[in-house]
Amino acid sequence: MQLIRWGIIGAGIIADKMANAIKLHKNSTLISVASRTKEKAERFALSHNIESDSYTSLLTREDIDVIYIATTH
């Protein structure tokens, strides 16, 4: 089965729950996170041992297959 590479937009509680869920799936890996502020994305990235990006950078990465949007409506 092919590895699914994830990115997350948003760095709040729901994003944290999704990050932990991705880690549980053997064919998934979390690559990067983007948030409204660079500092929040960096804190989230550090806590999950992933990269942090801007929104534009995350959306244009070729090493991410799926982006989960964890922001409020």
Side-chain angles (χ1 to χ4, degrees):
M1 183 178 261
Q2 183 178 357
L3 182 67
I4 301 169
R5 302 165 301 178
W6 291 80
I8 296 179
I9 292 179
I13 295 169
I14 297 302
D16 187 61
K17 290 179 186 276
M18 184 62 176
N20 291 327
I22 290 169
K23 290 177 189 176
L24 294 175
H25 193 272
K26 66 180 179 178
N27 293 327
S28 291
T29 188
L30 182 56
I31 303 292
S32 188
V33 64
S35 186
R36 245 184 315 156
T37 65
K38 181 180 179 180
E39 296 78 21
K40 192 167 184 180
E42 288 174 348
R43 279 194 309 270
F44 187 94
L46 185 62
S47 72
H48 289 283
N49 196 29
I50 60 173
E51 298 173 32
S52 65
D53 280 299
S54 67
Y55 289 146
T56 303
S57 177
L58 182 73
L59 292 170
T60 58
R61 288 183 68 147
E62 293 190 17
D63 63 339
I64 293 179
D65 303 308
V66 180
I67 296 175
Y68 180 78
I69 301 173
T71 59
T72 57
H73 302 309

